[in-house]
């Protein structure tokens, strides 16, 4: 397994991680048995970085991951998150909390659900605009001192938030969306500043929520509770427009002798050794396909061709609904 280092002199993890969110939430029907088998197969293949969060489910994804890694804790670099608060009466509602007491309670609860005595990488899932980030990260730093957490991370944080947090405690990783159709971090200075500070980037949704795999051809194929049914990029004319971009990727992938998913992941991997994509899947076959991206080499000519056929300005639709974008720290 190829490896990459998280942060300056930080931990070494597999070059690809596994995002576990979709195993329990947001993408339709669950199959816990296959999900557990997929996580264990990932470990068998040498993948070490597993990513979850307390709000996935909510809570049940951490329990699923805990079940899958039981007896194999030493093979796992385990990442989870706190900070997004779900409303039990309305699954579509979201709150944000970075209060120190909430941080401490969330960590203890995650440890119990995961069945472990420490979390390797603990992220603030979204920045709380009502709580100074210094207070939140200060509470997270206390968890490190207590041995409950090894490394700290932020998710979807702005450059200013990253800088302020870094003055309180070393930030090992920033987890944000990055893919062929989401490249904000490359243009707004976030990735550049992370590199200056020695912070790795963990890229979630590197396959465009599955769209870049070429497997999605009709929005009607989504389950009724699949959140992509209301995601702007998967709706109406935006879907039709974006599907044409994916077809171009499919054609280039065929020329390279790989799948569209492998090409899309190889593009993210080629952005730098300090970037670790965490594609999510519930199936072992898809996991094996994703790992195949590690063997796809993209030349300068390939990268130029991808930029030509899939320019970022060509993507139609925002990456979240207006309600979701409110919680993205800019």
């Amino acid at each position: 397994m190829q490896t990459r280092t998280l942060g300056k002199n930080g931990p070494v993890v597999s070059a690809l991680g596994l995002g576990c969110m979709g195993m329990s939430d947001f993408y339709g029907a669950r199959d816990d048995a296959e999900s557990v088998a997929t996580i264990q197969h990932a470990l068998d293949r040498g993948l070490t970085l597993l990513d979850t969060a307390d709000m996935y489910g909510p809570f049940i994804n951490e329990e699923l991951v805990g079940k899958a890694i039981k007896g194999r804790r030493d093979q796992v670099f385990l990442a989870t998150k706190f900070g997004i608060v779900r409303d039990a009466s309305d699954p579509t509602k979201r709150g944000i909390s970075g209060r120190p007491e909430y941080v401490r309670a969330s960590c203890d609860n995650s440890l119990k659900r995961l069945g472990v005595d420490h979390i390797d990488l603990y992220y603030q899932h979204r920045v709380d605009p009502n709580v100074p980030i210094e207070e939140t990260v200060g509470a997270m730093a206390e968890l490190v001192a207590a041995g409950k957490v090894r490394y700290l991370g932020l998710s979807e944080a702005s450059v200013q938030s990253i800088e302020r947090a870094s003055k309180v405690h070393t930030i090992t990783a920033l987890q944000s969306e990055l893919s062929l159709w989401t490249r904000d971090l490359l243009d707004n200075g976030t990735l550049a500043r992370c590199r200056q500070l020695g912070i790795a980037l963990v890229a979630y949704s590197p396959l465009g929520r599955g769209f870049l795999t070429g497997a999605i051809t009709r929005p009607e194929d989504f389950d009724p509770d699949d959140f992509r049914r209301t995601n702007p990029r998967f709706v109406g004319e935006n879907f039709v427009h974006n599907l044409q971009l994916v077809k171009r990727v499919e054609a280039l992938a065929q020329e390279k002798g790989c799948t569209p998913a492998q090409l899309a992941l190889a593009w993210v991997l080629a952005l730098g050794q300090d970037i670790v994509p965490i594609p999510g899947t519930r199936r072992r076959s898809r996991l094996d396909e994703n790992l195949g991206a590690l063997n796809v080499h993209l030349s300068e000519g390939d990268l130029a061709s991808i930029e030509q056929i899939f320019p970022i300005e060509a993507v139609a639709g925002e990456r979240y609904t207006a309600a979701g974008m409110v919680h993205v720290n800019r």
Side-chain angles (χ1 to χ4, degrees):
M1 173 60 67
Q2 297 175 31
T3 60
R4 294 192 168 184
T5 302
L6 293 182
K8 186 177 181 180
N9 302 318
V12 175
V13 300
S14 52
L16 274 184
L18 175 60
C20 300
M21 179 189 78
M23 296 177 176
S24 304
D25 209 356
F26 301 111
Y27 292 134
R30 294 161 47 196
D31 184 343
D32 288 355
E34 178 63 16
S35 293
V36 167
T38 297
I39 292 172
Q40 294 176 342
H41 181 62
L43 301 183
D44 292 340
R45 290 290 310 272
L47 186 150
T48 61
L49 175 58
L50 300 181
D51 184 87
T52 181
D54 59 4
M55 67 87 69
Y56 301 158
F59 310 130
I60 58 175
N61 193 244
E62 287 185 325
E63 294 172 349
L64 178 78
V65 171
K67 176 182 178 181
I69 67 173
K70 187 174 182 180
R72 305 182 70 171
R73 180 66 179 91
D74 60 339
Q75 298 177 250
V76 179
F77 187 86
L78 185 58
T80 191
K81 316 176 198 71
F82 74 91
I84 298 181
V85 185
R86 301 279 292 270
D87 186 335
S89 64
D90 185 350
T92 65
K93 287 186 177 180
R94 302 285 186 274
I96 305 294
S97 179
R99 293 179 293 108
E101 61 271 25
Y102 182 80
V103 176
R104 292 188 284 267
S106 295
C107 180
D108 287 343
N109 290 332
S110 288
L111 289 170
K112 291 176 183 177
R113 285 189 291 267
L114 290 162
V116 299
D117 61 5
H118 72 277
I119 294 162
D120 294 306
L121 177 56
Y122 201 39
Y123 292 102
Q124 181 181 17
H125 208 160
R126 292 290 187 272
V127 174
D128 186 342
N130 299 313
V131 177
I133 198 166
E134 291 84 356
E135 294 183 13
T136 303
V137 176
M140 295 168 71
E142 292 174 3
L143 299 174
V144 176
K148 296 179 179 181
V149 171
R150 293 179 62 205
Y151 301 96
L152 302 184
L154 304 174
S155 181
E156 292 289 359
S158 68
V159 168
Q160 183 184 46
S161 294
I162 295 166
E163 292 173 340
R164 289 171 57 187
S166 296
K167 292 177 181 178
V168 178
H169 190 278
T170 299
I171 300 300
T172 295
L174 172 71
Q175 183 176 140
S176 289
E177 186 173 356
L178 177 63
S179 68
L180 274 173
W181 75 353
T182 299
R183 303 182 219 170
D184 312 45
L185 302 176
L186 308 184
D187 299 327
N188 63 15
T190 302
L191 179 58
R193 187 64 178 127
C194 283
R195 284 174 167 163
Q196 291 171 350
L197 294 169
I199 299 171
L201 178 67
V202 174
Y204 77 81
S205 293
L207 293 175
R209 309 188 192 286
F211 204 34
L212 298 174
T213 66
I216 298 171
T217 58
R218 302 188 316 153
E220 294 80 11
D221 293 336
F222 296 137
D223 288 346
D225 58 345
D226 191 313
F227 98 106
R228 288 172 293 187
R229 279 184 171 270
T230 58
N231 183 281
R233 292 184 177 176
F234 292 85
V235 175
E237 290 302 314
N238 288 349
F239 184 97
V240 176
H241 174 88
N242 292 330
L243 187 60
Q244 297 310 305
L245 296 176
V246 174
K247 289 187 180 300
R248 299 176 192 173
V249 173
E250 289 178 324
L252 184 57
Q254 188 171 19
E255 292 178 17
K256 288 288 295 180
C258 64
T259 68
Q262 291 169 342
L263 185 73
L265 288 173
W267 180 87
V268 177
L269 288 162
L271 292 174
Q273 288 292 315
D274 55 351
I275 297 176
V276 179
I278 51 168
T281 183
R282 292 176 286 196
R283 295 191 291 276
R284 284 166 281 183
S285 59
R286 288 295 188 188
L287 174 73
D288 287 335
E289 178 185 353
N290 291 343
L291 288 173
L294 295 171
N295 299 317
V296 177
H297 173 70
L298 298 180
S299 66
E300 291 298 324
D302 292 329
L303 294 172
S305 296
I306 292 171
E307 181 62 34
Q308 182 177 18
I309 67 172
F310 205 124
I312 186 58
E313 64 272 12
V315 178
E318 187 55 272
R319 59 193 182 102
Y320 286 109
T321 61
M325 288 305 298
V326 166
H327 298 309
V328 174
N329 187 225
R330 300 189 186 188

